[in-house]
């Protein structure tokens, strides 16, 4: 599994984008993205769908939505 740990946004700009704007060194290899706001799994089959599975304490779904350009679905794990 390939896991990326990163800040969710920078200078009020989304980092989880619909399409990468930088040169790619390994397209389609990430399985999970962990940010300061939540945890997303990446399903690489059928279009690289992202699923939000965990939300950081003190973070709302609305905040994540406002700071995420990429499409994703929500399937939160029970705690």
């Amino acid at each position: 599994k390939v896991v990326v740990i990163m800040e969710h946004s920078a200078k009020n700009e989304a980092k989880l984008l619909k399409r990468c704007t930088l040169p790619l060194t390994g397209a389609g290899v990430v399985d999970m993205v962990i940010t300061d706001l939540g945890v997303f799994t990446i399903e690489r089959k059928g279009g690289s769908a992202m699923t939000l599975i965990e939300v950081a304490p003190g973070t709302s779904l609305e905040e994540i939505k406002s700071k995420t350009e990429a499409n994703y679905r929500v399937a939160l794990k029970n705690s």
Side-chain angles (χ1 to χ4, degrees), residues 32-78:
M32 181 176 284
V33 176
I34 301 172
T35 77
D36 50 322
L37 301 182
V39 178
F40 295 83
T41 58
I42 311 297
E43 177 59 50
R44 289 183 276 164
K45 296 177 186 174
S48 298
M50 287 190 353
T51 303
L52 176 64
I53 61 168
E54 292 183 42
V55 175
T59 302
S60 68
L61 290 174
E62 292 78 22
E63 180 180 7
I64 292 173
K65 182 177 180 180
S66 73
K67 294 181 178 180
T68 307
E69 179 188 300
N71 296 323
Y72 63 94
R73 67 183 191 95
V74 177
L76 299 177
K77 291 183 175 182
N78 296 331

Side-chain angles (χ1 to χ4, degrees), residues 3-28:
V3 178
V4 174
I5 300 172
M6 59 186 262
E7 289 184 39
H8 201 92
S9 59
K11 299 180 185 175
N12 292 325
E13 298 269 338
K15 289 178 133 184
L16 295 175
L17 307 173
K18 289 183 181 182
R19 181 174 298 276
C20 186
T21 57
L22 299 172
L24 295 175
T25 58

